[in-house]
Amino acid sequence: MQETYDSSAYNPSAVEAAAQKFWSDTRAFEVTEDASRQKYYCLSMLPYPSGALHMGHVRNYTIGDVISRFARMQGKNVLQPMGWDAFGLPAENAAIKRNIPPAKWTRQNIAHMRAQLQAMGFAIDWSREFATCDPAYYVHEQRMFVRLFKQGMVYRKNSVVNWDPVDQTVLANEQVVDGRGWRSGAVVEKREIPQWFLKITDYAQELLDGLDRLPGWPDAVKTMQRNWLGRSEGLEIRFDVEGGGALEVFTTRPDTLMGVTYLAVAAEHPLAAEAAKHNPALQAFIDECRQGGVSEAELETREKRGVDTGLNALHPVTGERIPIWIANFVLTGYGTGALMAVPGHDARDWEFASKYDLPIRMVIVSDPVRDAIRELGRDADDNTSAMSAALGQSKPIDVVEPVAAEDVLVEFENHILTEGPFTGHGTLVNSGDYDGLDFRHAFDALAKRFEREGRGRRQVNWRLRDWGISRQRYWGCPIPIIYCATCGAVPVPEDQLPVKLPEDVAFSGVQSPLKSDPEWRKCTCPQCGGAAERETDTFDTFMESSWYYARYTSPGAATQLDRRADYWLPVDQYIGGIEHAILHLLYFRFYHKLLRDAGLVHSDEPATKLLCQGMVVAETYYRDTPDGGKTWINPADVDVQRDEKGRITGATLKADGRPVSIGASEKMSKSKNNGVDPQLMIDKYGADTVRLFSMFAAPPDQSLEWNEAGVEGMARFLRRFWRDIVAHAAQPDHPRMQAAAAGRTDPLSPRAGEAARKADGENTRDEIDPATLNPAQKTLRRQLHETIAKVGDDIGRRRNFNTAIASLMELLNALEKFTDMSDAGRALRHEVLEAMVLLLNPFTPHASHALWQVLGHPETLIEDLPWPTADPAAQVRASVTLAVQVNGKLRGTLDAAPDAPREQLEARARALPGVVAAVGDKAVRKVIVVPGKIVNIVAG
RNA sequence: GCCGAAGUGGCGGAAUCGGUAGACGCAGGGGACUCAAAAUCCCCCGCCCUUAAAAGCGUGAGGGUUCGAGUCCCUCCUUCGGCACCA
């Protein structure tokens, strides 16, 4: 490479262009399978091409890039691919707003965002790139669907959606705001339509068990998935309905059966419709329940309400009549759509019963209450309590303090009736033959009884529901199904796939072009040859994002995957936002098992390690508007005022100098106008500075607050580092620079090279001899090797990039204080700077690419250089500082050899003036010595 | 409502296994350099009391365990993420 920039001052745009050109010219990051090397597949969640890169993307892909480059410097064969999650709702919205076909809008966005990713310098193998809207991609998805259809893994059933009665269209949950359509403002209705489902519940147990074999996944994600899957063991019990019919309910608490005081069914339950036939008030309530959206958050936060149907069920044990209510919190499609309510021992049932004055019956008692009852029951003559009698008490003995025991019981009962339910496990009371049993025994006894009577059975229930994959939208992958009047739903034959989505469409309204075009759907039945119609629904976009990771391994394959997948899979490190903890990551795991069962992959889980990064937030500023709203002002347009201690006292708009209000730090968004455009930051500071700040400002799993002053701090650090290296390399007689030049083959531009080329290079290749170093040199060298160890550990094991960068800053601070210009001093400085260039490379690859050359090396791919190794010998300390405490409070410190004996440490600690003063004339009762850490003297 | 996280100086954060709370950076104060500014460099910087030294207080709130708690346990508060059709 000839001189293209002046190396004396740091010029990010020239440095970055040169490095990127080198990577691109040498195809540095294109990889192939190599059985001789350890593979490393580092994957970041693929972006939705929304138009431009946002800070969340920058953060996500920088994390992936740091891990990828680090892994490659450790000698691994690293794959880091990129693609586009191209189908989805925003393209349809853009189409309506801008009058541009979704396909065109999407592909324009991809082109722009690809260029932005390249400007960030990510080490991506671009040869594997694809967009999920490419027919060459989704054809395999359609084939897989047909395969699953034939296996019986797919079925069609009615399911409820948000219906906008004005726009006559199905709305996404996101498009329902306060129960109304976002565009029309009409009150949304629930509507049932037939949809396709994938039997993810067949894999529920495996998805649950698999979590235990994912040590590299965050516990929070695994817990959320466990709870989402929601395995519960219980009984399904049939309640006969008075006058005919029956209701099936599922309960995990059969032990509370005798406490059932009402049953509740969903408004959509057939029994509700039956009861409402002659009851207008009931019908009105059912109609009311139809209003509003279908999201669980909306249903669960709604006020719990219900109406008595007037129908009664018969208790399966006592035959007692139990009222049946319709309740708006009973979800149809979960379990049986009906439940038994036990207000004494369930919080929601209790709330409902209190509101509608339904009876509350206590049938489970805690252990202390049980003991009190037994105490009372010892004297059966004096005791008429049904509960204690029921507990099977026998031998009458004198009760020492009957009043105290009675009080416990009364208090417990009162608490349930007035304060709230007892929801724990305990002992059954008021339960006839089952009195005195615990949860397990009651469960078993009732299960046996109902199984014998044919009235119920043990059952495992899951909260997880099957995956509804139909969407009533245009911009998605067409579902390859043909509807024939005689043959029913028939999958499209293999040789007719893909069913291509027409891309050149007018999309101005709310109706899908697939549905409004009478021609597209016309076809013939593959079975009988008669006239038939295509499915006009498309797949949920989670379908595409569930297997893209596997397709990256087999670019261009005619089949969905080929043998190359076996080399790369599973993913070694997956990185994405925590917002995907449940849905995407569960579908991703599910799909991998489907691929496995089709023989396409040979592992059980798609990714061994997972990192969920936090959001990118920024401060918000606003002014109140006369109509009570707020005008949000971008942080870039605001000046902040501070007092002499640096505290913020106010903010003003740059344009008019008048005050603006300061809001909270929130996720960057259009609505709060607090987004910072990564492109502006790259243009102003360079990609390396942007990368460095986004890794330094917070650990990856926490939210990151964007702060431009902080970005300037990173730019300062890089300029200092640059300047120090240039100054060091400019010393014409530098011994190590000569050594570096000796091994060099091509001419280099930086002026360090000029000096280096003049040197003869002889007698200069010696390593530093640690034995001859003076104390200051030893200290710096120790810090260097401690830093090497820490940076590797922080990146590789802890994934704490912020502390890795902090330790590199500390090392540079120490180096700048090290002014030793002897040969040994300069050689040591050279060792430090070379190591720092390599250690910083994952974060600032462009600067490292250039500075490596300034240090006298030929232009090379730094990722192919070995990661520095820490020398344990260099890290040995002659002495350590121990904290000395008296009663846990710090009273002094002392320096001692790391292996100093306990007695010596104790004696020296007790002699410290601060310790003497704190102990005073108190007796020393105990001394705790933790070698290398602390001495704590317990006195008093 | 349910599930999962997080709360530490003026700010972002550090403290990795229960062992000196505040590394590193930002902001701020003081100084050097400069005709001046920018850039750069040096010093200070948790709160409180104080001339100073020293003491005291301090990790959202309240309890607990421990020689010792930011870290472990219990209760509560606040904020954030998810809740199946946003991606």
Side-chain angles (χ1 to χ4, degrees):
Chain A
M1 187 186 77
Q2 291 305 306
E3 184 161 6
T4 53
Y5 52 86
D6 174 10
S7 69
S8 63
Y10 177 42
N11 175 351
S13 63
V15 165
E16 289 170 10
Q20 285 166 17
K21 181 171 189 305
F22 178 79
W23 298 331
S24 153
D25 288 351
T26 58
R27 302 180 161 209
F29 304 113
E30 289 182 21
V31 286
T32 52
E33 302 70 44
D34 177 353
S36 69
R37 290 166 70 199
Q38 193 187 346
K39 67 93 183 178
Y40 193 85
Y41 184 2
C42 182
L43 178 69
S44 294
M45 290 182 188
L46 84 179
Y48 177 79
S50 54
L53 230 53
H54 57 65
M55 282 300 178
H57 294 131
V58 166
R59 190 179 195 193
N60 196 162
Y61 304 132
T62 302
I63 292 169
D65 203 49
V66 168
I67 294 171
S68 293
R69 288 179 187 265
F70 174 73
R72 180 140 171 195
M73 290 177 80
Q74 292 187 312
K76 291 174 184 162
N77 189 23
V78 177
L79 169 59
Q80 183 176 221
M82 185 58 67
W84 306 96
D85 189 17
F87 281 133
L89 204 48
E92 297 197 354
N93 295 331
I96 296 164
K97 201 170 154 191
R98 301 160 200 236
N99 198 25
I100 174 174
K104 196 177 171 196
W105 181 82
T106 302
R107 292 207 161 82
Q108 283 173 0
N109 291 346
I110 288 173
H112 181 233
M113 291 171 73
R114 182 192 301 116
Q116 289 191 301
L117 288 175
Q118 286 166 345
M120 283 297 296
F122 297 133
I124 288 165
D125 180 353
W126 285 103
S127 71
R128 295 166 186 260
E129 176 194 7
F130 58 79
T132 58
C133 63
D134 298 339
Y137 177 77
Y138 67 66
V139 63
H140 301 292
E141 192 169 304
Q142 293 178 339
R143 284 185 189 152
M144 185 163 175
F145 176 82
V146 169
R147 201 165 66 226
L148 292 168
F149 183 97
K150 289 173 180 167
Q151 288 167 8
M153 277 296 291
V154 168
Y155 66 98
R156 200 168 183 239
K157 72 165 185 190
N158 276 352
S159 120
V160 64
V161 293
N162 303 304
W163 180 256
D164 186 321
V166 171
D167 280 351
Q168 293 284 298
T169 186
V170 175
L171 297 179
N173 284 338
E174 189 194 45
Q175 298 171 312
V176 178
V177 182
D178 295 330
R180 292 171 180 272
W182 68 344
R183 263 194 277 272
S184 70
V187 172
V188 168
E189 297 169 4
K190 296 182 183 71
R191 177 173 282 207
E192 285 210 342
I193 57 170
Q195 311 217 61
W196 291 100
F197 285 81
L198 224 48
K199 288 186 183 171
I200 190 172
T201 51
D202 277 10
Y203 286 77
Q205 189 67 52
E206 204 200 331
L207 287 166
L208 180 65
D209 295 340
L211 293 171
D212 295 330
R213 293 188 289 274
L214 286 173
W217 281 41
D219 289 336
V221 171
K222 288 188 282 188
T223 306
M224 280 189 268
Q225 291 211 350
R226 247 177 230 117
N227 292 335
W228 182 264
L229 294 165
R231 184 184 199 275
S232 57
E233 292 179 14
L235 292 189
E236 196 169 270
I237 304 172
R238 194 183 72 238
F239 282 69
D240 292 327
V241 176
E242 204 174 35
L247 270 183
E248 298 274 353
V249 303
F250 172 81
T251 178
T252 57
R253 290 296 303 273
D255 58 320
T256 64
L257 182 67
M258 307 309 270
V260 172
T261 56
Y262 63 99
L263 300 187
V265 300
E268 295 84 0
H269 197 281
L271 195 89
E274 186 63 33
K277 271 184 183 164
H278 308 292
N279 185 336
L282 218 50
Q283 189 58 49
F285 181 72
I286 293 171
D287 290 344
E288 207 186 308
C289 288
R290 291 185 70 84
Q291 297 202 338
V294 299
S295 82
E296 188 183 311
E298 190 176 332
L299 296 171
E300 290 282 325
T301 48
R302 195 169 294 171
E303 189 195 356
K304 314 252 176 304
R305 295 174 54 219
V307 177
D308 189 351
T309 60
L311 298 173
N312 287 297
L314 300 174
H315 193 284
V317 173
T318 62
E320 188 187 354
R321 294 171 77 199
I322 296 166
I324 301 172
W325 283 59
I326 301 175
N328 65 355
F329 60 82
V330 182
L331 303 174
T332 183
Y334 294 9
T336 59
L339 55 82
M340 63 176 229
V342 186
H345 304 284
D346 178 90
R348 192 169 57 183
D349 296 345
W350 188 90
E351 194 192 324
F352 192 84
S354 302
K355 181 169 178 170
Y356 292 106
D357 235 359
L358 290 157
I360 296 173
R361 190 173 299 163
M362 184 178 77
V363 292
I364 306 287
V365 293
S366 65
D367 290 352
V369 175
R370 176 202 61 203
D371 294 344
I373 292 171
R374 286 201 174 133
E375 184 79 6
L376 287 170
R378 285 178 187 174
D379 191 350
D381 291 342
D382 287 351
N383 195 318
T384 53
S385 162
M387 281 187 285
S388 55
L391 273 169
Q393 315 297 339
S394 51
K395 289 183 185 169
I397 331 168
D398 288 338
V399 176
V400 184
E401 287 183 275
V403 178
E406 269 168 15
D407 283 351
V408 169
L409 180 56
V410 168
E411 193 188 322
F412 185 76
E413 187 159 22
N414 279 345
H415 181 88
I416 288 182
L417 292 176
T418 59
E419 305 285 322
F422 172 68
T423 58
H425 283 183
T427 305
L428 274 72
V429 294
N430 290 331
S431 296
D433 296 344
Y434 304 98
D435 278 342
L437 297 183
D438 63 11
F439 171 80
R440 196 70 253 167
H441 288 99
F443 191 121
D444 290 341
L446 284 161
K448 269 182 201 149
R449 172 180 182 151
F450 291 142
E451 276 162 6
R452 194 176 59 236
E453 293 173 355
R455 179 176 282 286
R457 59 201 167 94
R458 291 169 189 271
Q459 202 183 336
V460 172
N461 208 41
W462 296 84
R463 208 187 80 92
L464 179 73
R465 312 190 312 247
D466 275 335
W467 178 9
I469 52 173
S470 297
R471 295 294 179 270
Q472 297 69 49
R473 286 188 231 300
Y474 156 70
W475 187 235
C477 172
I479 299 178
I481 288 284
I482 289 166
Y483 296 106
C484 167
T486 39
C487 307
V490 181
V492 176
E494 284 279 337
D495 60 1
Q496 290 175 31
L497 293 176
V499 177
K500 277 197 188 176
L501 185 72
E503 294 196 355
D504 187 20
V505 294
F507 189 81
S508 51
V510 287
Q511 180 71 290
S512 159
L514 297 188
K515 298 185 199 301
S516 55
D517 180 355
E519 291 307 309
W520 184 83
R521 72 174 86 164
K522 271 188 196 163
C523 63
T524 53
C525 172
Q527 275 179 24
C528 70
E533 288 201 343
R534 292 188 187 285
E535 169 69 84
T536 56
D537 281 358
T538 52
F539 283 136
D540 176 6
T541 57
F542 275 128
M543 288 281 274
E544 287 86 59
S545 55
S546 292
W547 70 282
Y548 75 106
Y549 69 97
R551 183 65 187 178
Y552 283 140
T553 66
S554 306
T559 50
Q560 187 169 16
L561 301 176
D562 60 26
R563 304 316 301 166
R564 290 174 289 174
D566 289 332
Y567 178 78
W568 293 111
L569 291 175
V571 170
D572 294 278
Q573 177 70 63
Y574 196 30
I575 304 144
I578 184 68
E579 67 274 18
H580 295 295
I582 295 173
L583 288 178
H584 163 66
L585 288 172
L586 198 61
Y587 295 142
F588 171 68
R589 295 181 57 219
F590 169 52
Y591 239 81
H592 191 79
K593 294 172 195 302
L594 293 177
L595 292 172
R596 177 200 62 194
D597 292 347
L600 293 168
V601 301
H602 300 90
S603 46
D604 292 327
E605 295 285 343
T608 47
K609 275 191 161 190
L610 173 69
L611 192 159
C612 291
Q613 97 262 7
M615 299 175 306
V616 182
V617 302
E619 62 270 54
T620 54
Y621 301 96
Y622 64 92
R623 275 181 180 160
D624 293 311
T625 53
D627 62 355
K630 281 175 176 154
T631 306
W632 296 94
I633 298 160
N634 195 274
D637 302 326
V638 170
D639 282 323
V640 169
Q641 285 83 47
R642 292 169 188 276
D643 67 11
E644 60 173 21
K645 289 195 168 179
R647 283 185 288 242
I648 292 171
T649 54
T652 51
L653 185 65
K654 280 178 180 168
D656 62 15
R658 292 191 296 113
V660 297
S661 302
I662 302 173
S665 261
E666 295 196 51
K667 180 176 179 171
M668 285 188 182
S669 70
K670 278 193 181 123
S671 61
K672 294 286 166 66
N673 191 18
N674 64 339
V676 176
D677 184 357
Q679 195 61 52
L680 294 177
M681 292 291 119
I682 297 169
D683 294 346
K684 192 167 172 185
Y685 300 100
D688 280 340
T689 296
V690 171
R691 293 168 60 113
L692 196 60
F693 177 75
S694 56
M695 293 299 96
F696 176 72
D701 54 353
Q702 289 179 30
S703 66
L704 182 157
E705 186 165 320
W706 196 265
N707 170 279
E708 195 164 340
V711 179
E712 279 166 7
M714 295 302 106
R716 262 200 292 275
F717 168 74
L718 279 183
R719 281 198 299 269
R720 269 172 62 202
F721 185 49
W722 187 279
R723 194 186 57 210
D724 291 342
I725 287 187
V726 168
H728 166 76
Q731 297 159 28
D733 60 342
H734 192 282
R736 296 289 292 233
M737 290 301 295
Q738 293 161 16
R744 198 166 58 180
T745 53
D746 64 338
L748 273 175
S749 60
R751 79 179 57 151
E754 294 298 322
R757 270 196 299 282
K758 288 179 196 153
D760 61 14
E762 63 188 36
N763 298 328
T764 54
R765 307 210 61 130
D766 317 323
E767 288 305 307
I768 290 169
D769 179 4
T772 64
L773 296 180
N774 65 35
Q777 291 164 346
K778 268 188 185 153
T779 300
L780 178 63
R781 191 153 186 276
R782 192 189 69 221
Q783 188 170 353
L784 167 64
H785 285 270
E786 284 174 350
T787 305
I788 291 170
K790 177 163 176 62
V791 172
D793 187 49
D794 279 354
I795 298 177
R797 180 182 63 88
R798 296 212 305 151
R799 306 273 195 243
N800 266 16
F801 312 115
N802 53 331
T803 50
I805 296 167
S807 69
L808 286 163
M809 289 174 164
E810 287 182 77
L811 182 59
L812 188 68
N813 291 343
L815 184 69
E816 288 183 352
K817 289 197 175 81
F818 180 80
T819 51
D820 184 343
M821 293 305 284
S822 69
D823 273 8
R826 287 185 297 166
L828 179 56
R829 186 175 295 107
H830 195 84
E831 187 186 356
V832 172
L833 289 171
E834 285 208 336
M836 281 191 71
V837 166
L838 298 176
L839 296 175
L840 270 167
N841 181 64
F843 304 105
T844 58
H846 310 89
S848 287
H849 178 85
L851 288 169
W852 189 248
Q853 296 171 66
V854 177
L855 283 170
H857 299 284
E859 182 171 39
T860 187
L861 183 68
I862 298 205
E863 281 65 29
D864 285 341
L865 299 173
W867 185 255
T869 44
D871 177 3
Q875 294 177 63
V876 172
R877 284 170 183 266
S879 77
V880 291
T881 305
L882 287 90
V884 179
Q885 300 178 334
V886 176
N887 292 336
K889 289 199 173 179
L890 184 70
R891 298 296 177 190
T893 61
L894 58 88
D895 290 325
D899 55 354
R902 211 165 251 277
E903 299 72 26
Q904 186 198 335
L905 291 173
E906 180 179 336
R908 287 183 58 198
R910 291 179 69 164
L912 288 172
V915 172
V916 171
V919 172
D921 53 7
K922 290 191 283 260
V924 173
R925 293 193 304 199
K926 194 170 167 188
V927 179
I928 287 137
V929 180
V930 182
K933 294 243 166 104
I934 206 159
V935 178
N936 189 14
I937 295 162
V938 186

